[in-house]
Amino acid sequence: MCHNIIDGRYHTACGHFYAMSTRHHDCLRPNCLFSRRHTHLTGCRSPGCVRLMALPVRNPIRISPTVCSDCISRERIGSLGVQR
């Protein structure tokens, strides 16, 4: 199945991933609705065609050993005793 590849920054200290760009991976199958090799024209109603994309794949192109900015701001708010 076709899927999206999400390039981004992964923070190892907190485990959060932030997307920077997305690209499409084509499975090249003729029965996949999202492939450029899909055999049917627009408005395909064939029950044999794949209509769902696979889950996106996260590709960490930047790895940061620090915590992310959201976690830093949560820690600051928590240390100040401010509630939302």
Side-chain angles (χ1 to χ4, degrees):
M1 284 196 282
C2 292
H3 62 276
N4 288 324
I5 300 172
I6 303 170
D7 296 330
R9 179 183 304 271
Y10 177 68
H11 293 270
T12 57
C14 61
H16 289 131
F17 182 86
Y18 289 93
M20 298 167 77
S21 68
T22 303
R23 54 195 157 101
H24 179 79
H25 174 75
D26 195 337
C27 67
L28 303 175
R29 291 171 51 188
N31 68 337
C32 179
L33 195 65
F34 301 99
S35 176
R36 66 176 175 239
R37 289 194 181 168
H38 186 243
T39 55
H40 304 111
L41 298 175
T42 58
C44 174
R45 298 184 190 273
S46 173
C49 287
V50 177
R51 300 193 176 282
L52 298 173
M53 289 184 86
L55 291 174
V57 175
R58 292 181 175 178
N59 180 32
I61 58 171
R62 304 268 195 285
I63 297 177
S64 178
T66 62
V67 294
C68 68
S69 59
D70 287 341
C71 289
I72 290 171
S73 65
R74 277 191 222 118
E75 288 175 10
R76 286 183 184 162
I77 291 172
S79 67
L80 293 175
V82 177
Q83 294 180 351
R84 289 186 173 181

